[in-house]
């Protein structure tokens, strides 16, 4: 029998990260898993309008390696350690998680691996929009405005006002001029001589500043193109919108907001709640307060138009309006609603209408989608949202309809 | 105070240990020690210690998991990792104290001896292990790099093969009958039994055996069966199935002897350390470490603890049997040492525990049986109440491959439509339905035709199917 010792070598250790490739692939798989139920994850959190750097903890079920295993019901053996156990004693809780798999002693039973991943909302949104083929959309021209940010420095010039005088550069150019004229001795003697002995300095010929030496900092107006967007969330808060419907609406608004936010420097949110009358409300009220009564959709649209007129002029703002309703409108209001929707389409980049219906209600109920079929606008899109899984596909469908402002497109 | 040491110190200690190893009669393969840091150790663990191994994301997952546990302090790293090969290869953590290194080296030699001498390892072809793993890794990498195959095709096949890798014959010493032998056996079984009174008895009807059935007898090696009977597989897919099967076969002996092997190594490291005449500080540290290793884990089974106790008891039983034992078993015919060396050659965990886990040991080890009832873990048997045999039987069913269900290929043309029928040999334990569903999906991916699994739940036969439309409970 012989024995060999191979000593530790730090440089080998650095080079030998052999599992790197497999770890990468594993992470990719986790990312895929995250992506699969991302709309659900996002919808779970009440993260609408919150800061984008906020970190959310997302539990991801580990990528399982399935094989045939025994279930939980069968007896197992363990050692009691130091303590005593008695028949019938309860020694712990079966860790029931997910599909009801317990983690028993030993590796032969299905354990549940939960990875809790920290992701910022930005990362989530990146994942979300990965399959939207964003590059294609980014080529579209966005409404931009030039915003004056005051002035900024840009180089130097020979004339200007006193406060912009750059003394160092002025002195340098004076020295340069003197050397060029050859009227003085070695440059470095000058200051010391004049310091030690003013009388000696006086003997030399004076070499005063000339107007040519003066250098001024140049300032130019700083104008940057900025893009602003506003997302107008309009929701029907009539009695027929229950908690689940509001929840779906909320998921939808959240995703829309996140999408818009990725493309504009400032994005604002406006909430309009309506039943027969419309009001602008804050976020909390928008989602939490239920109201009762009938529905006049046109009131919400008129309110939105009003807000746009007052605060978000279409020449300065990219407007995304989205309306969630269950489609139960007073039929007398339909024509008016349609006209208002047409007006909204004219000023918005995108106007979407989401009809939230449970399947049972879908047949026989009145639907605004039929009414809106009359609309003549290619930036309008109506979708039906039945449950949570529909939210993401609907949003994708809506976004594909985004229209670019025709006047600006030419100049872009 | 921490001692500072060089590799040469380890070599010097190794000299002394090897003298003891030979004195005690351990016979080892050549040994190689590789000093490594914790990242390398984690890497080695992820790939079961193999210097070369084919890539698969599950090893990345194993690494992440281990390193997360380690970084959070939930799990320490093993002091050593040793693989069954000739020469045997062991990793030592370079940051460990001198005492731990000496302890580990002694421990490794005992494992090495076990690998070399235990019958379960006879078929692992120890002198070819590392090259064989390397060759398999190269083949898999070739397929992954082949532009007409690629990672995206290799990975699902590996995923599916991994799901089935443990559905294979667990004891290579039991020879698989050839096709002809199976035929002979079927014909013989169809013959009417010999009957002295055939003259007066009605001649039994001869039932002709169905020799066209595939397989004739239920086949345990699901991967190999699919490889040989699924005509649409490409050569590289067949090769992947073979590779995964061969690896599983290599690791099964280690699963089958976990408790024995760890107990054996712990027993001998203790003997060696005690005989080494260690400096006091090292000896004290050794006592602490040793006790940590053999500490019972409440609510779990520590193989070091159980293994060592059983080995100790065997030695005592042969060297100093109690009067009761002599009255029951007769006078021992060999010394404790002889008995131990004989057992380390012939036994595996299941036989070892069945024969040597006595009632007294059961009590001493504090073993008890528990079961999940309505979400709570409830103690169902304790040795005090005289049910130690139940506890032993339950333990036996959770060691090694006994903890995994036995599923065999029953019919490759079930319902005459090419359905692959698998049958689970139900022994009172139910399959986990969720896992079974996903595993069936993997079988279906490989088989390419519908698959069905016969099992039992709550006393009723269940048939679970998986076809192109997904999972279906057909019972």
């Amino acid at each position: 029998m012989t024995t060999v010792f191979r000593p530790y070598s730090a440089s080998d250790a650095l080079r030998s990260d052999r599992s790197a490739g497999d770890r990468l692939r594993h992470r990719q798989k986790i990312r895929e898993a995250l992506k699969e139920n991302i709309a659900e994850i996002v919808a779970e959190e009440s993260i609408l309008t919150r800061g984008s750097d906020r970190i959310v903890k997302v539990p991801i079920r580990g990528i399982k390696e399935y094989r045939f295993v025994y279930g939980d019901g069968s007896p197992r053996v363990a050692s009691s350690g130091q303590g005593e156990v008695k028949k019938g004693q309860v020694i712990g809780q079966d860790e029931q998680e997910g599909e009801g798999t317990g983690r028993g002693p030993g590796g032969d039973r299905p354990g549940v691996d939960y990875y809790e991943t920290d992701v910022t909302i930005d990362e989530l949104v990146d994942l979300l929009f990965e399959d939207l083929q964003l590059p294609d959309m980014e080529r579209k021209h966005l409404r931009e405005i030039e915003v004056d940010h005051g002035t900024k420095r840009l180089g130097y010039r020979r004339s200007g006002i006193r406060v912009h005088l750059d003394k160092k550069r002025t002195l340098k150019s004076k020295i340069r001029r003197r050397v060029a004229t050859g009227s003085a001795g070695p440059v470095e003697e000058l200051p010391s001589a004049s310091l030690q002995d003013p009388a000696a300095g006086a003997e030399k010929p004076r070499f005063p500043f000339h107007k040519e030496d003066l250098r001024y900092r140049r300032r130019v107006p700083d104008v940057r193109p900025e893009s602003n967007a506003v997302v107008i969330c309009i929701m029907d808060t009539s009695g027929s919108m229950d908690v689940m419907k509001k929840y779906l609406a909320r998921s939808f608004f959240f995703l829309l907001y996140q999408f818009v936010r990725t493309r504009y420097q400032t994005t604002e949110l406006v909430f309009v709640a309506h039943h027969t009358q419309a009001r602008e409300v804050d976020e909390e009220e928008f989602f939490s307060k239920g109201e009762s009564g009938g529905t006049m959709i046109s009131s919400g649209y008129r309110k939105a138009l009003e807000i746009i007129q007052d605060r978000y002029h279409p020449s300065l703002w990219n407007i995304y309006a989205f309306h969630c309703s269950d489609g139960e409108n007073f039929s007398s209001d339909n024509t008016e609603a349609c006209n208002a929707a047409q007006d909204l389409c004219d000023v918005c980049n995108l106007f979407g209408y989401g009809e939230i219906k449970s399947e049972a209600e879908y047949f026989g109920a009145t639907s605004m989608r039929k009414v809106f079929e009359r609309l003549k606008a290619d930036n309008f899109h109506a979708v039906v949202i039945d449950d949570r899984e529909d939210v993401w596909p609907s949003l994708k469908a809506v976004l594909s309809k985004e229209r670019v402002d025709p006047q600006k497109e030419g100049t872009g | 105070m921490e001692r500072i040491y060089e590799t040469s110190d380890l070599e010097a200690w190794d000299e002394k240990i090897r003298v003891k190893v030979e004195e005690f009669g351990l016979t080892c393969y050549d040994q190689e020690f590789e000093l490594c840091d914790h990242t390398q150790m984690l890497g080695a663990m992820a790939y079961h210690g193999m210097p070369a191994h084919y890539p698969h994301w599950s090893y990345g997952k194993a690494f992440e998991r281990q390193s997360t546990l380690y970084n959070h302090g939930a799990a320490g790293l093993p002091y050593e990792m040793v693989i069954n090969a000739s020469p045997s290869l062991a990793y030592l953590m370079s940051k460990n104290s001198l005492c731990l290194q000496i302890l580990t080296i002694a421990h490794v030699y005992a494992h090495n001896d076990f690998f070399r001498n235990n019958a379960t390892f006879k078929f692992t072809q120890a002198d070819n292990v590392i090259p064989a793993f390397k060759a398999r890794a190269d083949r898999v990498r070739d397929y992954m790099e082949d532009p007409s195959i690629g990672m995206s095709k290799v990975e699902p096949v590996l995923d599916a093969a991994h799901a089935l890798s443990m559905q294979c014959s667990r004891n290579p010493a039991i020879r698989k009958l050839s096709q002809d032998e199976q035929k002979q056996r079927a014909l013989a079984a169809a013959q009417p039994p010999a009957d002295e009174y055939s003259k007066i008895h009605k001649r039994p009807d001869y039932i002709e055996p169905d020799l066209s059935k595939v397989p004739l007898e239920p086949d345990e090696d699901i991967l190999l069966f699919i490889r040989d009977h699924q005509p649409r597989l490409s050569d590289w897919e067949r090769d992947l199935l073979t590779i995964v099967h061969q690896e599983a076969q290599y690791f099964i002996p280690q699963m089958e002897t976990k408790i024995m092997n760890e107990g054996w190594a712990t027993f001998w490291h203790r003997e060696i350390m005690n005989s080494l005449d260690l400096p006091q500080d090292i000896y004290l540290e050794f006592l602490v470490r040793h006790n940590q290793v053999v500490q019972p884990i409440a609510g779990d089974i520590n193989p070091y603890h159980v293994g060592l106790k059983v080995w100790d008891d065997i030695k005592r039983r042969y060297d100093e049997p109690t009067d009761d034992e002599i009255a029951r078993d007769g006078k021992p015919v060999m010394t404790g040492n002889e008995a131990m060396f004989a057992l380390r050659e012939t036994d595996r965990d299941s036989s070892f525990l069945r024969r040597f886990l006595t009632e007294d040991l059961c009590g001493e080890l504090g073993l008890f049986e528990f079961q999940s009832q309505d979400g709570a873990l409830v103690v169902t048997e304790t040795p005090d109440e005289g049910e130690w045999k139940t506890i032993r039987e339950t333990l036996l069913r959770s060691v090694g491959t006994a903890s995994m269900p036995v599923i065999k290929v029953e019919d490759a043309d079930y319902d005459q439509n090419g359905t692959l029928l698998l049958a689970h040999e139900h022994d009172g334990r139910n399959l986990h339905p969720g896992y079974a569903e996903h595993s069936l999906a993997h079988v279906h991916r490989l088989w390419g035709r519908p698959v069905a699994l016969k099992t039992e739940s709550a006393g009723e036969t269940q048939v679970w199917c998986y076809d192109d439309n997904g999972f279906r409970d057909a019972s």
Side-chain angles (χ1 to χ4, degrees):
Chain A
M1 179 177 81
T2 60
T3 301
V4 181
F5 274 87
R6 275 196 288 273
Y8 172 68
S9 136
S11 59
D12 275 357
L14 278 178
R15 268 185 283 118
S16 68
D17 186 8
R18 52 193 295 227
S19 62
D22 288 340
R23 291 209 305 274
L24 187 70
R25 180 72 193 110
H26 177 232
R27 291 219 181 107
Q28 278 172 357
K29 284 186 84 86
I30 287 190
R31 210 173 141 89
E32 282 164 21
L34 185 67
K35 210 159 136 186
E36 261 165 35
N37 43 18
I38 189 147
E40 210 171 302
I41 290 165
V42 171
E44 298 289 347
E45 286 268 326
S46 59
I47 37 183
L48 197 63
T49 73
R50 298 286 156 75
S52 62
D53 53 348
R54 202 185 124 186
I55 287 171
V56 282
K57 278 211 185 299
V58 182
I60 316 165
R61 184 91 39 86
I63 315 291
K64 282 212 183 98
E65 296 159 76
Y66 290 103
R67 41 181 71 230
F68 290 107
V69 291
Y70 287 122
D72 295 320
S74 43
R76 287 166 260 170
V77 170
S79 130
S80 57
Q82 309 298 333
E84 286 277 307
V85 290
K86 289 248 150 45
K87 209 164 172 168
Q89 185 184 335
V90 175
I91 50 163
Q93 292 302 307
D94 209 354
E95 288 166 34
Q96 298 269 342
E97 279 178 285
E99 299 170 311
T101 50
R103 195 196 305 268
D108 53 313
R109 274 160 203 280
V112 180
D113 315 319
Y114 261 104
Y115 289 81
E116 215 170 56
T117 325
D118 292 347
V119 256
T120 63
I121 294 182
D122 273 348
E123 276 176 86
L124 274 181
V125 172
D126 281 352
L127 275 177
L128 268 175
F129 294 112
E130 233 169 50
D131 54 340
L132 269 183
Q133 286 134 15
L134 264 180
D136 230 20
M137 310 200 70
E138 276 168 352
R139 249 182 273 134
K140 291 186 181 174
H141 186 76
L142 309 170
R143 266 176 250 215
E144 285 185 341
I145 47 163
E146 302 210 319
V147 178
D148 196 348
H149 279 265
T151 58
K152 62 178 179 188
R153 279 168 60 172
L154 188 74
Y156 299 88
R157 56 185 190 176
R158 294 191 175 201
S159 61
I161 55 169
R162 195 61 188 256
V163 289
H164 288 164
L165 180 72
D166 188 320
K167 291 175 189 149
K168 198 171 170 186
R169 280 187 183 262
T170 303
L171 184 64
K172 270 186 179 168
S173 59
K174 181 190 149 189
I175 294 168
R176 202 178 287 131
R177 187 167 56 88
R178 193 173 65 182
V179 172
T181 54
S183 61
V187 181
E188 58 269 48
E189 264 179 35
L190 263 165
S192 57
S194 59
L195 273 176
Q196 281 163 4
D197 184 2
E203 284 169 23
K204 307 220 161 156
R206 240 170 63 84
F207 195 84
F209 282 98
H210 190 268
K211 203 181 168 200
E212 279 171 33
D213 299 332
L214 300 183
R215 293 289 183 274
Y216 297 92
R217 287 187 284 269
R218 180 171 173 235
R219 298 198 72 85
V220 292
D222 182 13
V223 178
R224 291 182 221 158
E226 275 218 347
S227 52
N228 302 319
V230 58
V231 177
I232 302 181
C233 309
I234 311 166
M235 187 162 64
D236 184 353
T237 53
S238 64
S240 51
M241 286 289 283
D242 58 24
V243 177
M244 185 59 196
K245 287 176 180 174
K246 279 191 180 174
Y247 168 77
L248 290 176
R250 181 187 196 133
S251 316
F252 202 97
F253 288 137
F254 172 80
L255 292 173
L256 182 68
Y257 169 70
Q258 290 300 344
F259 171 71
V260 171
R261 203 175 52 82
T262 54
R263 310 186 346 170
Y264 300 97
Q265 275 151 4
T266 47
T267 310
E268 291 190 12
L269 270 166
V270 172
F271 298 98
V272 176
H274 76 87
H275 37 104
T276 50
Q277 285 156 7
R279 284 185 309 132
E280 191 184 347
V281 293
D282 62 20
E283 183 198 350
E284 203 197 324
E285 196 178 340
F286 187 71
F287 288 112
S288 59
K289 271 205 181 147
E291 290 183 59
S292 53
T295 313
M296 300 261 277
I297 289 177
S298 64
S299 68
Y301 294 174
R302 287 287 164 225
K303 182 75 189 173
L305 284 166
E306 208 177 284
I307 293 169
I308 291 169
Q309 206 55 45
D310 288 354
R311 284 152 43 199
Y312 303 104
H313 195 273
S315 61
L316 301 178
W317 292 82
N318 295 279
I319 301 165
Y320 292 80
F322 200 85
H323 178 215
C324 282
S325 164
D326 55 3
E328 309 271 342
N329 199 24
F330 284 138
S331 44
S332 61
D333 183 53
N334 283 354
T335 319
E336 175 57 21
C338 210
N339 291 339
Q342 187 71 53
D343 291 347
L344 267 177
C345 288
D346 291 343
V347 295
C348 293
N349 288 37
L350 178 73
F351 176 50
Y353 168 68
E355 194 153 285
I356 302 176
K357 278 200 183 299
S358 54
E359 228 161 300
E361 291 175 293
Y362 193 61
F363 298 100
T366 53
S367 168
M368 284 303 289
R369 286 178 67 211
K370 290 243 165 55
V371 178
F372 285 139
E373 272 168 20
R374 303 204 298 261
L375 278 181
K376 288 189 180 61
D378 51 5
N379 60 341
F380 172 77
H381 196 75
V383 289
V384 178
I385 305 168
D386 278 343
D387 64 54
R388 201 196 266 172
E389 277 89 67
D390 291 343
V391 170
W392 180 232
S394 312
L395 183 75
K396 278 204 265 191
V398 169
L399 291 179
S400 64
K401 286 277 188 172
E402 186 184 5
R403 185 194 61 173
V404 178
D405 189 9
Q407 294 127 35
K408 291 272 181 172
E409 200 163 31
T411 61
Chain B
M1 205 191 74
E2 190 82 12
R3 280 168 181 261
I4 295 164
Y5 60 89
E6 301 287 326
T7 309
S8 55
D9 297 322
L10 293 183
E11 278 163 347
W13 280 106
D14 175 66
E15 285 290 319
K16 293 185 203 166
I17 292 168
R18 272 194 291 160
V19 171
K20 293 291 168 196
V21 163
E22 264 159 52
E23 232 175 81
F24 287 125
L26 299 177
T27 47
C28 305
Y29 295 125
D30 291 343
Q31 181 68 51
E32 290 175 10
F33 288 104
E34 202 162 308
L35 285 144
C36 65
D37 61 18
H38 76 273
T39 319
Q40 285 173 312
M41 185 59 117
L42 286 168
M45 281 165 72
Y47 295 94
H48 311 295
M50 288 301 156
H53 196 281
Y54 63 80
H56 185 256
W57 58 267
S58 58
Y59 306 114
K61 175 182 162 184
F63 183 96
E64 299 268 20
R65 188 199 183 87
Q66 280 301 329
S67 91
T68 313
L69 288 176
Y70 173 72
N71 290 336
H72 286 75
L77 288 177
Y79 298 140
E80 116 287 353
M81 166 118 211
V82 52
I83 68 168
N84 158 37
S86 173
S88 171
L89 176 60
Y91 300 88
L92 301 175
M93 291 270 279
S94 62
K95 290 279 160 56
N96 279 347
S97 66
L98 181 60
C99 167
L100 264 181
Q101 302 289 27
I102 300 169
L103 170 73
T104 306
I105 291 169
H107 192 86
V108 163
Y109 279 121
H111 274 311
N112 183 335
D113 166 80
F114 195 89
F115 288 145
R116 180 167 173 177
N117 293 294
N118 186 273
T120 325
F121 290 88
K122 275 271 142 55
F123 300 89
T124 51
Q125 296 171 320
D127 38 1
N128 198 27
V129 166
I130 292 169
F133 268 82
K134 173 89 171 74
R136 288 193 281 255
D138 289 345
R139 261 144 70 199
V140 176
R141 285 209 176 84
D142 278 351
Y143 298 138
M144 284 178 170
E145 280 155 19
D146 187 328
S148 67
I149 304 170
M151 171 84 166
S152 58
K153 284 188 185 164
V154 170
E155 194 180 271
V157 177
L158 284 180
D159 287 351
H162 282 186
L164 296 170
S165 64
M166 285 300 148
Q167 304 306 329
C168 57
S169 47
R170 282 104 190 254
N171 192 344
I174 300 172
R175 194 171 62 86
K176 207 168 164 179
L177 294 181
S178 71
Q179 196 66 19
D180 276 346
E181 286 166 319
Q182 288 186 25
K183 234 174 231 175
Q184 293 305 323
R185 203 148 89 155
L187 285 171
Q191 291 298 326
D195 184 357
E196 282 183 60
Y197 303 105
S198 54
K199 285 202 176 124
I200 56 168
H201 281 163
K202 181 174 178 280
R203 195 196 298 166
D205 291 329
Y206 177 71
I207 306 160
E208 203 176 344
D210 179 10
L211 293 181
S212 64
K213 188 171 170 280
V214 179
L216 272 177
E217 289 177 18
D219 197 335
E220 244 181 321
D221 292 306
I222 299 187
L223 283 180
L224 295 189
F225 185 86
I226 293 177
R227 179 192 72 181
D228 298 338
H229 294 87
Q230 211 280 59
R232 291 168 297 276
L233 287 180
S234 340
D235 284 347
W236 63 267
E237 286 172 306
R238 286 178 219 280
D239 194 28
L240 288 180
L241 300 189
T242 315
I243 286 170
V244 174
H245 174 78
Q246 285 170 344
E247 284 212 357
Q249 290 289 308
Y250 169 81
F251 287 114
I252 278 181
Q254 281 168 50
M255 302 165 74
E256 286 286 80
T257 56
K258 179 81 182 160
I259 293 177
M260 263 184 100
N261 198 347
E262 292 302 356
W264 177 259
T266 310
F267 182 91
W268 287 112
H269 85 221
R270 188 187 59 195
E271 297 297 307
I272 292 169
M273 294 298 270
N274 279 330
S275 67
L276 267 182
D277 200 16
L278 295 164
Q280 199 178 23
D281 59 329
I282 293 189
Y283 189 72
L284 285 175
E285 191 189 339
F286 154 68
L287 289 180
V288 173
R289 300 287 188 184
H290 177 75
N291 282 326
Q292 282 170 352
V293 168
V294 299
Q295 217 165 37
I297 307 170
D300 206 344
I301 293 285
N302 177 359
Y304 297 84
H305 172 224
V306 175
L308 178 67
K309 285 271 188 207
V310 178
W311 280 116
D312 274 343
D313 192 58
I314 290 167
K315 190 168 164 60
R316 178 203 59 78
R317 218 198 285 189
Y318 280 87
D319 284 345
E320 306 144 19
T322 61
D323 295 340
D324 286 352
E325 277 165 354
I326 293 174
R328 193 186 59 204
D329 308 325
K331 265 201 152 76
V333 289
M334 45 185 159
T335 66
N337 236 359
E338 283 167 0
M340 286 179 71
F341 276 89
L343 288 174
R344 76 102 153 73
E345 270 180 47
T346 54
D347 277 47
R348 53 174 66 205
D349 279 354
S350 48
S351 57
F352 181 71
L353 292 174
R354 183 176 289 117
R355 290 161 70 188
F356 298 104
L357 185 69
T358 59
E359 182 171 5
D360 291 345
L361 265 178
C362 240
E364 205 182 315
L365 290 165
L367 298 184
F368 64 90
E369 188 198 76
F370 67 100
Q371 201 167 1
S372 159
Q373 291 173 357
D374 306 323
L377 298 174
V378 181
V379 178
T380 44
E381 304 289 357
T382 60
D384 299 343
E385 280 137 86
E387 292 297 334
W388 71 277
K389 280 194 174 162
T390 321
I391 298 174
R392 188 183 65 186
E393 289 311 308
T394 309
L395 177 62
L396 285 177
R397 296 208 299 190
S398 67
V399 296
T401 51
S403 65
M404 289 173 283
V406 176
I407 292 170
K408 292 181 177 173
V409 178
E410 197 84 356
D411 195 344
D413 192 20
Y414 184 58
D415 269 358
Q416 280 82 48
N417 66 354
T419 300
L420 181 72
L421 176 68
L422 305 176
H424 167 220
E425 292 186 355
H426 192 266
D427 61 356
R429 291 179 286 180
N430 295 335
L431 289 182
H432 188 291
Y435 273 64
E437 179 182 334
H438 285 98
S439 308
L440 277 177
H442 284 310
V443 185
H444 175 246
R445 186 165 306 139
L446 294 177
W447 185 245
R449 303 274 312 154
V451 292
L453 171 70
K454 221 187 257 176
T455 178
E456 223 176 275
S457 168
E460 285 181 34
T461 307
Q462 305 265 328
V463 182
W464 294 335
C465 299
Y466 203 102
D467 56 24
D468 295 336
N469 302 320
F471 182 77
R472 184 163 55 89
D473 187 346
S475 44

